[in-house]
Amino acid sequence: KEIIKKQAAKDWECNLLHRAKELAPGGQMVLVNLGMDEDGQYLGNTRNNPVNIFQKFFDLWGALKDNERITQEEFDNTCFANYYRTC
């Protein structure tokens, strides 16, 4: 988990730096991101929602493989890693 945490911090900084270069003077940027609450609930993993977002990612990515839009190797080498940052 520590490796993912460090990479997430680097990726976040890189993303912000790139977006800053793209932003027009006086422009605004709105960020929306997945989050996790103190009970470990996140989008698609709540007491009221039986659909897990990560299972959905896996299923949709698998459909791309099954429809030969991506290869088995691409499917096997894909990781939907997430690190939920805190404020």
Side-chain angles (χ1 to χ4, degrees):
K1 187 171 181 177
E2 190 62 32
I3 291 171
I4 292 173
K5 179 179 178 180
K6 287 180 181 178
Q7 187 62 51
K10 288 180 184 178
D11 291 346
W12 181 245
E13 180 180 26
C14 182
N15 189 21
L16 290 177
L17 291 171
H18 285 289
R19 300 302 72 81
K21 290 178 184 176
E22 298 168 347
L23 195 60
Q28 297 180 359
M29 181 170 70
V30 176
L31 299 173
V32 179
N33 201 359
L34 299 175
M36 183 182 293
D37 72 10
E38 60 276 355
D39 295 326
Q41 297 183 102
Y42 54 86
L43 179 65
N45 182 39
T46 66
R47 289 184 281 291
N48 300 322
N49 186 351
V51 178
N52 184 303
I53 191 70
F54 298 109
Q55 184 62 51
K56 186 59 77 175
F57 286 161
F58 181 82
D59 294 344
L60 292 170
W61 200 243
L64 290 174
K65 175 188 60 79
D66 295 342
N67 292 321
E68 299 180 348
R69 301 291 305 268
I70 63 170
T71 66
Q72 180 69 48
E73 183 178 14
E74 288 171 317
F75 178 82
D76 292 341
N77 290 326
T78 300
C79 177
F80 293 105
N82 285 277
Y83 178 74
Y84 294 99
R85 302 174 62 84
T86 59
C87 297

